[in-house]
Amino acid sequence: MKKLPILLTVLLFCATIECCTKQVGIVSEVPLNVIFAGEGFLTESLTKTTLDGSDFQWEVDDTVGIYPDAGSQIFFSMKDGAGTSTATFDGGGWGFKENSVYYSYYPFIADFYLDRSRIPVSYEGERQNGKDNMDHYGDYDYMYTPGVSASSGVLKFSYSHLNCLIKVTVSKLPAGVYRQVTISSKEDLFVKKGHFNLMSQAPSVIPDETSKEISLVLNNVSLAADEQAVFYIISAPVAFAGKDIIVSIVDKDKKQYDCSKSLPVDFVAGKQYGLGCSSWTEVPQSVGIVINDWEDGGSISGGAE
């Protein structure tokens, strides 16, 4: 996935195919300079401690969708430059009109008839492989650009995040293999599924289904006693201000450890927040999170209320 800051330059040669003329148009015989720019999550401190920001790059299979002001969407797929701050997209020969307006979003959804006013999002099924690994959340980091037009041979897309990034730092746990991290509340604060309107002046995630918890399945996470580890969860913005939450971690033997937190601020789109947990309470299995079928990622019921 992206991970930024990013400045992506693509040379798109004009095509004379019929669909291009109808939906996107021909610019000229000169290549159009198309720039894809994004920014990392800005750090927001919950205390006086300053967190490090997050830098990101595009990954090899990343794809963005683009809508002209009239017509169906097209897509640009990653071609070169994965893992770096620059990359190349292949536009498939599409040309752009300087008098048209274009809207873009990430990640691309392969549906020719996708309604641009109802682009779906889901925060279910997040997984992290190993400790302090950020490779997993690209598919959940929904982004958009406002409408832009080409000018002087340049078309620039600047992406904004629709989500926040939650950095969970754990320490002082017993030695063991850990399988899942969950953040829970007594209220339905978390978006499981939703959508956003790309044509809105300020797109935001509109909830369709909410939950009292959001979870991250862990693969290959083995901790020594008191070892520190970092886990990353992508979430739609959350109204946390003044709320009590519980950060839970479960090991391979289904032992659950809870860490209680009171949060002073809401978690907003485009920002990274840190939750540090070092004081734990072991929860009896009968009242803790129930996890089934580890190999398939698990399912969760109940809660730590």
Side-chain angles (χ1 to χ4, degrees), residues 121-142:
V121 303
S122 173
Y123 299 94
E124 295 182 301
E126 294 187 53
R127 292 171 174 264
Q128 179 171 321
N129 185 29
K131 298 166 284 190
D132 202 11
N133 187 341
M134 303 177 71
D135 292 342
H136 60 287
Y137 66 73
D139 291 342
Y140 299 90
D141 189 9
Y142 303 98

Side-chain angles (χ1 to χ4, degrees), residues 99-252:
N99 60 347
S100 294
V101 180
Y102 301 95
Y103 304 81
S104 183
Y105 72 97
Y106 173 90
F108 169 71
I109 297 174
D111 181 353
F112 187 76
Y113 300 103
L114 180 67
D115 184 350
R116 67 182 75 192
S117 68
R118 196 176 178 87
I119 297 177
V121 303
S122 173
Y123 299 94
E124 295 182 301
E126 294 187 53
R127 292 171 174 264
Q128 179 171 321
N129 185 29
K131 298 166 284 190
D132 202 11
N133 187 341
M134 303 177 71
D135 292 342
H136 60 287
Y137 66 73
D139 291 342
Y140 299 90
D141 189 9
Y142 303 98
M143 300 194 300
Y144 74 94
T145 71
V148 295
S149 298
S151 176
S152 301
V154 175
L155 181 62
K156 182 177 182 180
F157 294 98
S158 297
Y159 292 87
S160 296
H161 298 278
L162 287 162
N163 343 268
C164 60
L165 175 62
I166 305 174
K167 179 181 179 181
V168 181
T169 302
V170 304
S171 61
K172 298 184 179 179
L173 283 163
V177 176
Y178 289 88
R179 296 291 179 85
Q180 186 162 286
V181 173
T182 298
I183 303 172
S184 61
S185 171
K186 292 183 178 181
E187 302 176 40
D188 286 343
L189 299 181
F190 303 96
V191 175
K192 293 178 66 176
K193 295 181 179 179
H195 65 277
F196 65 94
N197 181 359
L198 186 60
M199 308 306 290
S200 171
Q201 287 188 342
S204 61
V205 173
I206 301 170
D208 293 323
E209 185 177 348
T210 58
S211 174
K212 291 181 172 64
E213 58 193 27
I214 188 168
S215 294
L216 175 70
V217 173
L218 305 177
N219 295 327
N220 301 313
V221 174
S222 178
L223 300 182
D226 299 332
E227 181 180 359
Q228 179 173 292
V230 179
F231 306 112
Y232 297 92
I233 300 175
I234 285 281
S235 173
V238 192
F240 273 145
K243 304 290 174 55
D244 295 328
I245 66 166
I246 294 177
V247 177
S248 303
I249 189 166
V250 180
D251 69 13
K252 67 179 181 61

